[in-house]
Amino acid sequence: APPRAGSRTPILVAAEFDECAFTVDTERALAGELMVDGAGEDATRRAREAALGKLRMKLADAIAALDTAGAALDDGFVPFAEGCCIHGVSLLILSRGYKELIRANLRRAGLGHVQVLANELLIGPDGQWRACFRDNSASGHDKTRSLRRALTEAPGARVVLVGGGGRADDEMALVESGACDHVYARRGSPLARACDGAGVRTRAFEGWAALGRELGVCP
């Protein structure tokens, strides 16, 4: 069982943003269905860069477009994040998405304090978008490397990974690295299926309220 807040064991919750803390994949919602699982790392990165490079909009317009599409933070995420802060549980957004989009949505919900490790997004004076990836990995963000660095500031922490959006490749790399002590995945999600195929035990992610109760950060 995962540790509970208030115990002697520190907890670090690492969560993907898109289709996990947030209801949609922001990249796909704004730039269309991207070829992200094509013929290798270069093709994937080129496709994402090309699709984003076609966008011409300010960040505020992008947020408005997501609002119009009905996208929002997942139900229960705000009280979960607030509970983590109150009870001393570290919460980290660990995403293959873009920090500017993520932080804009978190700040509007009063969650500007939540740490975000993600790719960067550069928006030019004319509104043209350009992806600025963190590293040379297929997703542009080696989550395992980022998580291990974060753990240097939380020595001895038990890591709870929350995933199960539409993509599982980089999340599965995290699982296989051995850096995660407990893995929560949505039932039937790509991550749940990948873990099942690899013989890795997962816990069903039934929502942020349920997870908050298990960890002792929500009533």
Side-chain angles (χ1 to χ4, degrees), residues 52-100:
L52 286 175
K54 294 176 182 177
L55 293 180
R56 298 291 189 280
M57 66 175 74
K58 301 296 184 181
L59 181 60
D61 296 330
I63 299 301
L66 290 172
D67 288 345
T68 300
L73 288 172
D74 194 88
D75 184 44
F77 181 75
V78 173
F80 175 84
E82 292 173 342
C84 285
C85 183
I86 292 170
H87 292 279
V89 171
S90 300
L91 175 60
L92 173 66
I93 294 294
L94 198 60
S95 178
R96 65 178 287 152
Y98 299 95
K99 186 180 296 184
E100 290 71 19

Side-chain angles (χ1 to χ4, degrees), residues 160-186:
V160 176
L161 174 66
V162 185
R167 303 163 179 171
D169 49 355
D170 50 350
E171 290 178 334
M172 196 59 199
L174 258 176
V175 173
E176 292 173 338
S177 74
C180 304
D181 299 291
H182 306 279
V183 180
Y184 283 80
R186 296 187 188 278

